[in-house]
């Protein structure tokens, strides 16, 4: 099946050509990472997600606001809608602006909670204006390497970590490079330049991707390293997971990385990545869960699960984290916030699998509960028993 829908030169100068209803659906589900308008909320007219939060009256009534990770956005969109159906007096609005922007908004107390695919550093926590921060694991997922190539029916691109690193370093610049053809015997790869698409914003998705490449390729570690914002040696930048997915969809001979939920409506194929055991795997609930199972005892200080051992482990996997202040200045708002996050990390995980996420393992759910139990109100009383 062909994935060619635009000329290569159109990738940055024109808006995405979203030719099908499926494309429109996935972009809507993805919450429009370039927009600050919340997409998870009630059907009314929610306040801007980055507006300063107002107090919630007693009785858990009012609006909670969050901002951050686009990795989380499809899961949050469904889960928050379900939560509001069950708790109609509380609305939750979330703006998918990227992990770095979410941390900035949270640190400035413009939102009630942030979300990031990499926990806040000690220096970031020290700079947060609301005091000590509780970091709560909320989602587990995989990042797929998506590509726009016409391959024979049933064929799938195979990649190793070092070859993937060389592509994003700009060292492998054509699809028929010998390193690629050797990994894909029986497939005629085109004599065409590779268009690399990466994130342009501060991104926890980029952190997980670069963390994987740094651990598997010394050249990447030395030249680029791991981070939410990188100095990219090659390629074109796009904002958010939706931006990368749309750019790969409309650009022939392109390649990029996205949280796996963002491939659904666009029908973008995932490359099979060679894992530590030497097997080629794609992101799925089973392969991400297998990777996470190898390291059940994560913490906000030791959170990376990339490239874990195991025959079926998918190596580009990671957790995302909600960020809340340990000391809540408003009793009712604080109770509404911890109650919602307690639901999200327990009953709300029922909505993870349908959106290509993995329900949190039991030990990680316990970590989430432990973190939420540390949160206190203005009088010092714990808000969650």
């Amino acid at each position: 099946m062909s994935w060619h829908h635009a000329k290569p030169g159109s990738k940055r100068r024109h808006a995405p050509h979203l030719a099908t209803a499926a494309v429109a659906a996935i972009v809507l589900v993805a919450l429009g990472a370039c927009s600050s308008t919340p997409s998870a909320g009630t059907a009314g007219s929610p306040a801007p997600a980055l507006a300063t939060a107002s107090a919630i009256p007693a009785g858990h009534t009012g609006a909670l606001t969050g901002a951050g990770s686009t990795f989380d956005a499809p899961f949050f969109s469904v889960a928050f809608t379900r939560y509001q159906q069950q708790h109609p007096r509380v609305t939750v609005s979330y703006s998918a602006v990227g992990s770095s922007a979410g941390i900035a908004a949270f640190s400035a107390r413009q939102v009630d909670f942030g979300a990031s695919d990499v926990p806040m550093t000690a220096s970031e926590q020290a700079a947060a204006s609301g005091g000590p921060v509780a970091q709560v694991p909320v989602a587990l997922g995989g990042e797929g390497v998506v590509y726009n190539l016409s391959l024979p029916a049933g064929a799938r691109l195979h990649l190793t970590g070092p070859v993937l690193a060389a592509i994003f370093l700009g060292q492998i610049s054509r699809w028929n490079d010998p390193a690629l053809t050797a990994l894909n015997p029986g497939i005629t790869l085109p004599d065409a330049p590779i268009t690399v698409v990466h994130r342009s914003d501060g991104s926890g998705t980029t952190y997980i991707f670069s963390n994987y490449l740094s651990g598997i390729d010394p050249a990447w570690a030395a030249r680029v390293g791991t981070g939410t914002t990188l100095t990219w040696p090659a390629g074109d930048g796009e904002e958010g997971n939706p931006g990368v997915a749309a750019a790969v969809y409309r650009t022939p001979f392109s390649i990029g990385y996205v949280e796996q939920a963002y491939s659904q409506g666009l029908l973008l194929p995932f490359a099979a990545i060679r894992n530590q055991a030497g097997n080629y795997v794609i992101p799925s609930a089973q392969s991400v869960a297998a990777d996470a199972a190898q390291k059940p005892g994560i913490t906000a200080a030791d959170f990376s699960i990339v490239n874990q051992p195991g025959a079926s482990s998918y190596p580009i996997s990671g957790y995302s984290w909600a960020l809340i202040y340990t000391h809540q200045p408003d009793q009712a708002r604080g109770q509404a916030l911890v109650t919602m996050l307690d639901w999200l990390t327990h009953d709300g995980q029922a909505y993870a699998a349908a959106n290509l996420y993995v329900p949190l393992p039991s030990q990680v759910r316990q970590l989430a509960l432990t973190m939420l139990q540390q949160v206190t109100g203005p009088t010092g009383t714990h808000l969650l028993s």
Side-chain angles (χ1 to χ4, degrees):
M1 180 176 182
S2 174
W3 304 99
H4 298 179
H5 298 282
K7 296 180 180 179
S10 67
K11 58 183 175 296
R12 289 290 294 165
R13 292 189 294 272
H14 302 287
H17 177 53
L18 306 183
T20 67
V23 173
I26 192 63
V27 172
L28 288 173
V29 167
L31 303 184
C34 299
S35 170
S36 62
T37 302
S39 297
T42 57
S45 301
L50 299 186
T52 302
S54 58
I56 295 178
H60 297 191
T61 300
L64 297 173
T65 58
S69 164
T70 63
F71 182 104
D72 292 327
F75 170 51
F76 282 179
S77 180
V78 174
F80 291 159
T81 298
R82 297 294 183 268
Y83 187 77
Q84 291 167 192
Q85 290 171 349
Q86 298 174 24
H87 304 82
R89 299 182 69 188
V90 177
T91 63
V92 186
S93 297
Y94 181 75
S95 184
V97 292
S99 294
S100 292
I103 288 174
F106 168 75
S107 297
R109 301 191 70 177
Q110 295 174 327
V111 291
D112 296 303
F113 67 95
S116 175
D117 312 325
V118 53
M120 294 174 71
T121 64
S123 60
E124 286 173 332
Q125 292 184 62
S129 62
V133 177
Q135 308 200 74
V136 183
V138 290
L140 169 60
E143 293 182 13
V145 176
V146 291
Y147 56 92
N148 187 324
L149 289 175
S150 292
L151 299 182
R156 184 183 299 275
L157 185 70
H158 285 60
L159 296 169
T160 65
V163 168
L164 182 61
I167 291 172
F168 277 79
L169 285 169
Q171 296 169 344
I172 293 177
S173 59
R174 300 192 73 81
W175 282 108
N176 64 344
D177 185 283
L180 283 167
T181 58
L183 295 177
N184 295 275
I187 299 175
T188 300
L189 294 173
D191 181 11
I194 300 173
T195 297
V196 169
V197 183
H198 56 73
R199 291 286 288 274
S200 61
D201 53 333
S203 161
T205 304
T206 292
Y207 185 98
I208 294 171
F209 183 70
S210 60
N211 183 216
Y212 165 69
L213 293 181
S214 291
I216 206 165
D217 186 68
W220 179 275
R223 184 173 174 186
V224 182
T226 300
T228 57
T229 302
L230 304 175
T231 300
W232 292 95
D236 299 307
E238 297 286 348
E239 289 193 24
N241 275 286
V244 173
V248 173
Y249 174 81
R250 70 178 184 262
T251 307
F253 310 119
S254 61
I255 189 170
Y257 60 95
V258 296
E259 197 282 325
Q260 66 183 107
Y262 287 86
S263 73
Q264 288 190 98
L266 299 180
L267 303 178
L268 288 168
F270 289 131
I273 309 296
R274 191 170 69 191
N275 65 13
Q276 193 178 134
N279 299 322
Y280 287 89
V281 291
I282 61 172
S284 68
Q286 294 75 25
S287 63
V288 172
D291 185 81
Q294 298 294 324
K295 186 177 177 178
I298 64 160
T299 67
D302 182 17
F303 55 87
S304 175
I305 59 169
V306 298
N307 203 34
Q308 294 296 309
S312 58
S313 295
Y314 180 71
I316 318 178
S317 301
Y319 288 94
S320 194
W321 304 73
L323 319 170
I324 64 171
Y325 287 111
T326 302
H327 304 300
Q328 293 288 313
D330 181 88
Q331 181 81 9
R333 176 175 287 279
Q335 285 183 332
L337 180 59
V338 297
T339 299
M340 182 274 289
L341 289 175
D342 184 49
W343 177 90
L344 183 68
T345 54
H346 291 83
D347 292 352
Q349 293 296 306
Y351 304 105
N355 291 278
L356 301 183
Y357 297 82
V358 178
L360 295 177
S362 59
Q363 191 166 335
V364 178
R365 292 199 303 272
Q366 181 57 49
L367 172 62
L369 178 61
T370 299
M371 300 308 297
L372 291 170
Q373 287 174 331
Q374 296 176 10
V375 180
T376 61
T379 64
T381 57
H382 292 280
L383 297 177
L384 189 70
S385 58

